[in-house]
Amino acid sequence: MADNHIVSAFDQELNALKTKVLRMGGIAEANIASAVQAVVRRDRALADRTINSDARIDVFDGEISDLVTRLLALRQPMAVDLRHIVGALKIATDLERIGDYAKNIAKRANSIGIAVPVQTMHAIPRMGEMVLSMVKDVLDALSNEDADRAVEVRDRDPALDELYNSVFRELLTYMMEDPRTITGCTHLLFIAKNLERIGDHATNMAETVYFIVRGSRMQSDRPKADITSQISDPTVAA
Amino acid sequence: MADNHIVSAFDQELNALKTKVLRMGGIAEANIASAVQAVVRRDRALADRTINSDARIDVFDGEISDLVTRLLALRQPMAVDLRHIVGALKIATDLERIGDYAKNIAKRANSIGIAVPVQTMHAIPRMGEMVLSMVKDVLDALSNEDADRAVEVRDRDPALDELYNSVFRELLTYMMEDPRTITGCTHLLFIAKNLERIGDHATNMAETVYFIVRGSRMQSDRPKADITSQISDPTVAA
């Protein structure tokens, strides 16, 4: 009886941990969406709300870290429970980072100016949609303990990287054609890079979900297609 | 006697974990240094060696993750030991990220081209030195369990952010003055940003070291001075 009581208190705490991670993920999702919207619509009020909302993500991160430490110290969990607990810590770290990138995107929303080419303003929301669906699906995979879905999220990252490559080349070309766009395009470059990084963190989370569910590592030949660091002349290389 | 044996096996594993983290940190340090050198000297061979060396950091990250899971599962550690183990996992995540940034800097070394202003080529190695001393000192703080030193590392981050701000403004100005420098300066912008991000991860590690040693969080008013996301016209705002 006493034993039952202990087990169920542990289960409660473990569920509380899982719920916290998913709620943190929900806020991160919302902040990515509103940050991209703030950029597209140059909506200063929305940008400010997004920036302020990041503090909530940081609070969750601290709470999850405390709960994990507590669970490890008091409950001495094993096997899949242990993987859930260590996994929660890893995922919270990725979500905290994602929150920072969303906040940074929102901050740049107010600095882009009007002298940026309109075509790029299509590519950014498209990147935003891809990233958002990756984050959403990896949280679903976590919630449903679905390792196959996690693999599928990981496999979508190269397409995001390729879109980023083409945005990068495009932006360099615009800057060369019209130096008045340089400041605005530089902010867009960083926004695109931030979105690409969010994709990397979604991929990290997918690997963690896989490990939680299966107890082994996802095969390591992680696809990677961001090659912008090798671009030396966009007008030729494109 | 049997009990002594168990305790000492645990101590051995815990020491092995600490050593692994410090060795991983040593490689990360070396890769930052050689990545910055590769940029400054446009040294393609050094850049390639740095890029290849990152795989060793990733191997350490995997090993640390496995060892942490094993220690948590089999040894059920408490108090300061538990903080060391969870802390090792967090620090390994930061070092893995730092390794990625160093690799990215090295990749860009070969793409900068020659049309970049020479002044900026002083700012990048200066940022590199600041970042390197932060990473070195936080690893020393970890090794010596020195919480005061960790606070001191955290407090150096704003100076790095300020240097990054001035590099950012400078690079935008150069690009506007001479569009031929746009591709090279864009790579330098990302290199500077990568160095600034390494500083953030050194700060994260400092907070983790503090937590390991003291068992409480470093006061949260973390200084932050990267304001480049708000720059809308560098020629005026500088």
Side-chain angles (χ1 to χ4, degrees):
Chain A
M1 205 52 194
D3 222 47
N4 265 346
H5 180 71
I6 289 167
V7 170
S8 109
F10 171 71
D11 284 344
Q12 256 176 8
E13 285 186 320
L14 192 58
N15 276 331
L17 178 65
K18 290 179 190 174
T19 306
K20 257 190 213 302
V21 172
L22 291 173
R23 282 182 57 202
M24 186 182 178
I27 303 173
E29 252 187 88
N31 284 7
I32 297 167
S34 59
V36 172
Q37 274 306 302
V39 169
V40 173
R41 303 200 308 235
R42 314 291 159 85
D43 185 333
R44 187 175 290 265
L46 185 60
D48 289 341
R49 279 203 303 280
T50 310
I51 293 163
N52 292 332
S53 168
D54 187 54
R56 291 166 64 211
I57 296 183
D58 293 344
V59 169
F60 269 108
D61 187 39
E63 286 177 4
I64 288 166
S65 207
D66 289 346
L67 193 51
V68 164
T69 310
R70 188 186 137 76
L71 275 163
L72 290 174
L74 302 182
R75 303 296 182 181
Q76 299 160 349
M78 306 286 284
V80 65
D81 290 342
L82 179 60
R83 294 202 303 275
H84 260 292
I85 292 167
V86 174
L89 192 70
K90 286 193 172 205
I91 288 174
T93 306
D94 284 311
L95 288 174
E96 191 268 332
R97 218 60 297 171
I98 288 176
D100 279 354
Y101 286 119
K103 181 173 158 182
N104 193 269
I105 291 169
K107 278 187 187 171
R108 291 183 193 277
N110 300 330
S111 314
I112 299 170
I114 46 163
V116 295
V118 76
Q119 299 96 309
T120 322
M121 296 311 286
H122 295 303
I124 297 289
R126 230 181 98 210
M127 282 189 78
E129 275 162 34
M130 286 172 80
V131 157
L132 208 54
S133 76
M134 286 174 77
V135 172
K136 190 191 160 299
D137 290 350
V138 78
L139 291 170
D140 285 348
L142 175 66
S143 174
N144 302 323
E145 309 196 0
D146 184 342
D148 293 332
R149 187 129 193 213
V151 173
E152 190 257 310
V153 169
R154 196 267 313 258
D155 289 346
R156 269 188 269 159
D157 197 42
L160 178 67
D161 289 346
E162 268 157 38
L163 185 54
Y164 169 65
N165 292 338
S166 73
V167 170
F168 185 93
R169 286 173 200 276
E170 233 182 279
L171 285 167
L172 285 193
T173 310
Y174 294 136
M175 289 195 265
M176 286 173 189
E177 282 169 1
D178 182 358
R180 285 169 306 171
T181 67
I182 286 176
T183 304
C185 284
T186 299
H187 285 301
L188 289 175
L189 267 179
F190 276 101
I191 289 169
K193 183 69 193 168
N194 287 342
L195 289 170
E196 188 269 334
R197 298 289 299 140
I198 293 176
D200 287 345
H201 285 284
T203 304
N204 284 349
M205 290 195 286
E207 290 173 347
T208 304
V209 168
Y210 188 96
F211 179 75
I212 291 173
V213 178
R214 295 271 168 89
S216 64
R217 297 240 187 93
M218 203 187 276
Q219 57 176 18
S220 68
D221 51 341
R222 177 167 168 167
K224 191 74 205 146
D226 167 12
I227 52 150
T228 56
S229 58
Q230 288 135 51
I231 292 174
S232 47
D233 191 337
T235 48
V236 179
Chain B
M1 205 51 195
D3 221 48
N4 264 346
H5 179 72
I6 289 167
V7 170
S8 107
F10 172 71
D11 283 345
Q12 256 177 8
E13 285 186 320
L14 192 57
N15 276 331
L17 178 65
K18 290 179 191 175
T19 306
K20 257 190 213 301
V21 172
L22 291 173
R23 281 182 57 201
M24 185 183 180
I27 303 172
E29 251 187 88
N31 285 8
I32 298 168
S34 58
V36 172
Q37 273 306 303
V39 169
V40 171
R41 303 200 308 234
R42 313 291 160 84
D43 184 334
R44 188 176 288 265
L46 184 61
D48 288 340
R49 279 205 302 281
T50 310
I51 292 164
N52 292 331
S53 167
D54 187 54
R56 291 164 66 210
I57 295 184
D58 293 343
V59 169
F60 269 107
D61 187 40
E63 287 178 3
I64 288 166
S65 208
D66 290 345
L67 194 50
V68 163
T69 309
R70 190 185 135 76
L71 275 163
L72 290 174
L74 301 182
R75 303 296 182 184
Q76 298 159 349
M78 306 287 283
V80 66
D81 290 341
L82 179 59
R83 295 203 302 274
H84 261 293
I85 293 167
V86 173
L89 193 69
K90 287 193 172 205
I91 288 174
T93 306
D94 284 310
L95 288 174
E96 191 269 333
R97 222 51 303 169
I98 287 175
D100 279 354
Y101 286 120
K103 181 173 158 184
N104 193 269
I105 291 169
K107 278 187 187 169
R108 292 183 193 278
N110 300 330
S111 315
I112 298 170
I114 47 163
V116 296
V118 76
Q119 299 97 309
T120 322
M121 296 310 287
H122 295 303
I124 297 289
R126 231 182 96 210
M127 281 189 79
E129 276 162 34
M130 286 172 79
V131 157
L132 208 54
S133 77
M134 285 173 77
V135 172
K136 191 191 159 298
D137 290 351
V138 78
L139 291 169
D140 285 347
L142 175 66
S143 174
N144 302 322
E145 307 196 0
D146 184 342
D148 293 333
R149 187 128 192 213
V151 173
E152 189 257 312
V153 169
R154 196 268 312 260
D155 289 347
R156 269 188 268 159
D157 197 42
L160 178 67
D161 288 346
E162 268 158 37
L163 184 55
Y164 168 65
N165 292 337
S166 74
V167 170
F168 185 93
R169 285 174 200 277
E170 232 180 280
L171 285 167
L172 284 194
T173 310
Y174 294 136
M175 290 196 266
M176 287 175 189
E177 281 169 1
D178 182 358
R180 286 170 306 170
T181 67
I182 286 176
T183 304
C185 283
T186 299
H187 286 300
L188 289 175
L189 267 179
F190 276 101
I191 289 170
K193 183 69 193 170
N194 285 342
L195 289 170
E196 188 268 334
R197 298 289 300 140
I198 294 176
D200 288 344
H201 285 284
T203 304
N204 283 350
M205 291 195 285
E207 289 173 347
T208 303
V209 169
Y210 187 96
F211 179 75
I212 291 172
V213 178
R214 295 271 167 88
S216 64
R217 297 243 185 91
M218 203 187 275
Q219 57 177 16
S220 67
D221 50 340
R222 177 168 170 167
K224 191 74 205 148
D226 166 13
I227 52 150
T228 56
S229 58
Q230 288 134 51
I231 292 173
S232 46
D233 191 339
T235 48
V236 178

